[in-house]
């Protein structure tokens, strides 16, 4: 009879999470060196859905690049297209009518709520609760129906144009949005009772996966991840753009630095977005939705232009270097989840694997946006 | 020790609250549509693949100027025209007539640049969404033929 195999006490093994794994919500691979159930070292491997969006921006005209922006983050696409049109408009000196900017802000905020709702559902599902996903999708469906009625698409919108919008919103949209706000507020209460108050949920998130403000700064994390670590930074407040200065809203910040803090930031953000939508609908001016002289064949002046916007996942920046031609000389997209993901490797050292997967969910990853 | 029991009590309470919510949801009316037995009406601005628009006589409004083809980011549109002689007030004139209008829907991103750039209102989005096939060729549409079929 042979003796049982003796493991060395310091023996570790490699565990591959992904590239096809339900918890990564996309083609992301994390190579983990494990000591039992504890992570010794993690290494994120990106690039499985890299589609060269930056290069495409360099060999297409500015207008032809419009549909690309909504293919980065398919859950909150309008925020990204907003950044793009703002960058071009500022660089080319195009005036945008007020009504168009208001409609942009309203639709972006609706899209942010939709994105957070889907994240909420998927996050709770990662932790083992299935019903909240169904409820969240039902609420999100109302937003998608509204957005479909104005933009013609449900996910990959191509609605904003340089100098305005593709088409105006109608009374039906305004009515539907007004009906949606109280409905969503009721749902948020339901989610608070069903999920936030749930003992299992709390025990799995509270005090787990601390990300210090220091680490956020080191990796350039923004959005709800940074705000869950006590960094009060929101591009809408810190570098105001569009009509955001006209709205009265708060930036939720939590100082606990754990997964629960990141969860709470997003849940509070939905309420703030509803406030913005409410005010936007109230103040919505009448008038044109496109500048008088619709810009065609846009050429930017020679120079270097940058515009940052706050999307559902954090600060998205677009940098355009122009040599005066009708397409960009160099186009750079700074995507928020790319930076947010990078603190994962350092933060999950010594963590239990199930906590690490919950932590990954709390970062709100969208892989196509990370890889671009 | 007190914390231990209050934890159990509060924990059980939170679970019961959650169960109450899911139980109430159970009796709410179903909102799911049983596709394909039930379908929804597409909204007025729904973007399906593009379609040629006919004038009163049933001919395509398109004058084959090629603006849509140049505007398209993905190069989905390919069109061609022939020159035909027509008689106007006794004089013979040459006129461009559309002879081919093909759409490669596999590449289309439904951005709307073609519709926007057409100065003649000759194309618009259709409401077609029941598109499913295992063959790529089924998404190469001959829009001129589709227009004729609609006219017939
Ligand atoms: S909708 Fe856009 S991608 Fe599709 S054919 Fe028209 S221009 Fe091309
Ligand atoms: S832009 Fe309009 S008129 Fe010109 S080729 Fe295209 S569809 Fe025809």
């Amino acid at each position: 009879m042979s003796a049982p195999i003796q493991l060395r006490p310091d023996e570790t093994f490699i565990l591959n999470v992904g590239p096809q794994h339900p918890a990564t919500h996309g083609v992301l691979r994390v190579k983990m060196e494990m000591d039992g159930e504890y992570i010794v070292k993690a290494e994120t491997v990106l690039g499985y859905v890299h589609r060269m969006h930056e290069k495409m921006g360099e060999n297409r005209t500015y207008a032809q690049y419009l549909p690309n922006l909504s293919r980065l983050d398919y859950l909150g696409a309008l925020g990204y297209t907003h950044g793009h049109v703002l960058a071009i408009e500022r660089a080319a000196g195009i005036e945008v009518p007020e009504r168009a900017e208001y409609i942009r802000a309203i639709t972006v905020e609706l899209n942010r709520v939709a994105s957070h709702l889907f994240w909420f559902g998927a996050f709770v599902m990662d932790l083992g609760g299935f019903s909240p996903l169904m409820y969240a999708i039902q609420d999100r469906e109302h937003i998608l129906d509204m957005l479909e009625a104005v933009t013609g698409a449900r996910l990959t919108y191509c609605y904003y144009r340089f100098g305005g919008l593709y088409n105006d919103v109608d009374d039906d949209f305004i009515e539907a949005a007004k009906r949606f706000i109280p409905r969503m507020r009721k749902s948020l209460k339901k989610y608070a009772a069903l999920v936030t108050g749930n003992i299992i949920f709390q025990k799995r998130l509270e005090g787990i996966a601390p990300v210090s403000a220091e680490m956020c700064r080191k990796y350039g994390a923004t959005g709800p991840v940074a705000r869950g670590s006590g960094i009060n930074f929101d591009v809408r407040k810190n570098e105001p753009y569009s009509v955001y200065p006209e709205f009265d809203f708060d930036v939720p910040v939590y100082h606990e630095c754990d997964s629960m803090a990141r969860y709470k930031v997003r849940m509070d953000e939905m309420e703030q977005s509803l406030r913005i939508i409410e005010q936007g609908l109230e103040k919505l001016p009448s008038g044109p939705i496109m500048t008088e002289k619709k810009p065609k064949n846009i050429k930017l002046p020679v120079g270097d232009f940058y515009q940052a916007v706050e999307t559902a996942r954090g600060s998205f920046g677009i940098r355009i270097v122009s040599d005066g031609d009708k397409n960009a000389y160099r186009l750079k997209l700074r995507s928020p989840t790319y930076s947010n993901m990078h603190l994962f490797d350092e933060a999950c050292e010594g963590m239990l694997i199930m906590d690490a997967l919950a932590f990954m969910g709390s970062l709100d990853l969208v892989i196509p946006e990370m890889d671009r | 020790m007190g914390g231990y029991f209050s934890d159990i009590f509060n924990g059980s309470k939170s679970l019961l609250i959650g169960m109450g919510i899911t139980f109430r949801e159970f009796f709410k009316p179903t909102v799911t549509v049983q596709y394909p037995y039930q379908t929804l009406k597409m909204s007025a601005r729904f973007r399906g693949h593009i379609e040629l628009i006919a004038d009163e006589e049933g001919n395509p409004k398109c004058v084959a100027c090629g603006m849509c083809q140049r505007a398209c980011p993905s190069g989905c549109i390919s069109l061609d025209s022939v020159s035909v002689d027509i008689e106007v007030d006794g004089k013979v004139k040459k006129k461009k007539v559309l002879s081919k209008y093909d759409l490669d829907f596999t590449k289309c991103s439904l951005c709307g640049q073609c519709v926007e750039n057409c100065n003649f209102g000759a194309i618009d989005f259709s409401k077609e969404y029941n598109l499913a096939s295992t063959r790529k060729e089924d998404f190469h549409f001959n829009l001129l033929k589709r227009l004729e079929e609609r006219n017939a």
Side-chain angles (χ1 to χ4, degrees):
Chain A
M1 223 170 82
S2 57
I5 297 168
Q6 289 292 319
L7 285 179
R8 274 187 290 125
D10 60 341
E11 184 141 308
T12 58
F13 63 95
I14 298 287
L15 181 73
N16 260 310
V17 179
Q20 298 283 351
H21 191 276
T24 60
H25 302 288
V27 266
L28 170 76
R29 176 175 164 220
V30 186
K31 214 168 107 185
M32 291 176 176
E33 190 182 339
M34 306 288 300
D35 177 12
E37 291 214 19
Y38 290 90
I39 297 167
V40 180
K41 209 169 151 290
E43 188 189 337
T44 313
V45 186
L46 304 178
Y48 289 93
V49 278
H50 184 53
R51 289 145 298 158
M52 290 171 284
H53 275 301
E54 291 181 1
K55 191 70 201 167
M56 274 192 235
E58 287 160 23
N59 45 33
R60 290 173 166 205
T61 66
Y62 294 115
Q64 285 183 333
Y65 192 54
L66 279 169
N68 282 59
L69 269 300
S70 58
R71 268 87 184 160
L72 300 179
D73 173 1
Y74 47 81
L75 293 176
L78 281 174
Y80 294 76
T81 47
H82 195 195
H84 179 223
V85 290
L86 283 176
I88 303 283
E89 278 157 5
R90 211 172 59 176
I94 301 167
E95 281 283 326
V96 188
E98 221 187 1
R99 184 178 172 84
E101 271 302 350
Y102 267 89
I103 295 171
R104 282 180 187 177
I106 294 169
T107 44
V108 164
E109 293 307 319
L110 276 173
N111 205 200
R112 188 191 312 274
V113 177
S115 165
H116 280 356
L117 273 174
F118 199 79
W119 160 83
F120 163 77
F123 180 50
V124 181
M125 195 180 70
D126 282 350
L127 298 167
F130 190 69
S131 312
L133 175 70
M134 290 293 127
Y135 305 157
I137 284 183
Q138 193 187 336
D139 285 332
R140 176 171 169 264
E141 202 61 22
H142 286 265
I143 302 179
L144 294 192
D145 282 346
M146 271 187 269
L147 290 180
E148 185 194 320
V150 290
T151 68
R154 293 176 77 81
L155 277 180
T156 47
Y157 316 103
C158 186
Y159 179 50
Y160 305 148
R161 292 291 186 269
F162 307 133
L165 305 168
Y166 185 81
N167 48 23
D168 203 353
V169 299
D170 49 11
D171 292 340
D172 288 346
F173 170 79
I174 293 170
E175 282 310 307
K178 278 187 178 151
R179 270 200 311 275
F180 174 75
I181 294 167
R183 188 204 144 86
M184 188 62 217
R185 291 217 162 108
K186 231 170 96 190
S187 291
L188 283 175
K189 282 208 191 85
K190 183 168 82 187
Y191 299 148
L194 177 65
V195 179
T196 319
N198 186 289
I199 180 89
I200 305 170
F201 188 74
Q202 286 172 356
K203 292 270 180 220
R204 286 211 55 190
L205 297 185
E206 273 171 5
I208 303 292
V211 175
S212 64
E214 213 41 63
M215 204 191 281
C216 286
R217 290 205 188 90
K218 184 167 148 195
Y219 289 98
T222 46
V225 178
R227 288 195 284 274
S229 298
I231 300 176
N232 188 349
F233 179 79
D234 186 318
V235 186
R236 290 173 294 174
K237 284 270 190 209
N238 294 65
E239 299 160 17
Y241 55 93
S242 184
V243 285
Y244 281 108
E246 322 257 311
F247 298 126
D248 175 29
F249 67 101
D250 303 319
V251 179
V253 179
Y254 283 82
H255 295 270
E256 288 83 8
C257 303
D258 55 0
S259 294
M260 194 65 171
R262 292 184 278 278
Y263 166 85
K264 280 185 182 157
V265 168
R266 290 201 186 88
M267 296 313 271
D268 290 2
E269 262 181 25
M270 282 198 248
E271 169 57 29
Q272 298 307 323
S273 291
L274 291 180
R275 274 177 70 191
I276 297 176
I277 298 163
E278 207 168 29
Q279 293 167 40
L281 290 171
E282 211 168 275
K283 288 185 189 167
L284 187 66
S286 53
I289 52 142
M290 191 37 115
T291 43
E292 263 160 47
K293 205 172 153 289
K294 195 172 161 185
K296 286 222 160 132
N297 299 326
I298 291 181
K299 280 186 186 171
L300 295 195
V302 179
D304 196 340
F305 308 98
Y306 184 78
Q307 173 74 45
V309 287
E310 185 75 22
T311 66
R313 277 161 195 79
S315 153
F316 167 70
I318 177 163
R319 180 176 172 190
I320 302 166
V321 181
S322 163
D323 56 0
D325 213 347
K326 45 187 201 312
N327 43 3
Y329 172 74
R330 173 79 174 96
L331 195 136
K332 160 82 187 149
L333 305 169
R334 183 233 183 258
S335 68
T337 39
Y338 182 79
S339 307
N340 292 357
M341 180 69 211
H342 276 288
L343 53 78
F344 181 81
D345 291 359
E346 189 181 323
C348 74
E349 272 171 28
M351 214 186 267
L352 272 169
I353 181 151
M354 50 268 203
D355 287 344
L357 291 182
F359 171 41
M360 197 190 277
S362 80
L363 292 176
D364 192 7
L365 304 176
V366 167
I367 316 299
E369 192 250 26
M370 202 148 72
D371 279 346
R372 306 190 292 288
Chain B
M1 205 60 189
Y4 178 75
F5 285 112
S6 73
D7 244 20
I8 292 180
F9 177 74
N10 289 334
S12 317
K13 204 174 104 190
S14 83
L15 293 182
L16 284 177
I17 291 172
M19 276 185 210
I21 290 168
T22 43
F23 189 71
R24 254 174 282 143
E25 287 291 323
F26 196 64
F27 295 102
K28 290 226 176 118
T30 319
V31 288
T32 328
V33 175
Q34 298 298 332
Y35 181 84
Y37 307 107
Q38 295 171 313
T39 47
L40 295 173
K41 205 175 157 291
M42 288 295 112
S43 59
R45 280 169 189 163
F46 177 78
R47 295 186 190 173
H49 67 78
I50 52 166
E51 201 78 271
L52 284 172
I53 297 180
D55 58 12
E56 294 86 45
E57 283 133 48
N59 297 320
K61 273 190 184 175
C62 173
V63 298
C65 67
M67 280 300 282
C68 51
Q69 191 178 9
R70 273 194 295 278
C72 178
S74 331
C76 316
I77 301 170
S78 66
L79 53 86
D80 218 341
S81 61
V82 285
S83 191
V84 290
D85 296 335
I86 50 158
E87 237 185 74
V88 186
D89 307 331
K91 272 185 266 169
V92 179
K93 272 189 170 175
K94 289 225 180 283
K95 190 175 178 259
K96 256 182 21 178
V97 175
L98 190 69
S99 63
K100 171 186 142 190
Y101 198 111
D102 288 349
L103 170 73
D104 181 358
F105 193 53
T106 55
K107 291 194 258 171
C108 176
S109 55
L110 294 170
C111 63
Q113 313 252 11
C114 48
V115 177
E116 217 176 12
N117 275 285
C118 179
N119 295 328
F120 302 90
I123 37 176
D124 202 358
F125 295 113
S126 66
K127 300 278 165 289
E128 187 62 64
Y129 65 94
N130 285 310
L131 294 168
S133 174
T134 50
R135 290 182 336 132
K136 211 168 156 186
E137 296 76 48
D138 290 347
F139 300 104
H140 293 245
F141 299 122
N142 182 342
L143 294 191
L144 212 53
K145 202 166 127 219
R146 286 176 70 96
L147 182 73
E148 275 159 22
E149 277 164 13
R150 270 202 319 237
N151 283 342

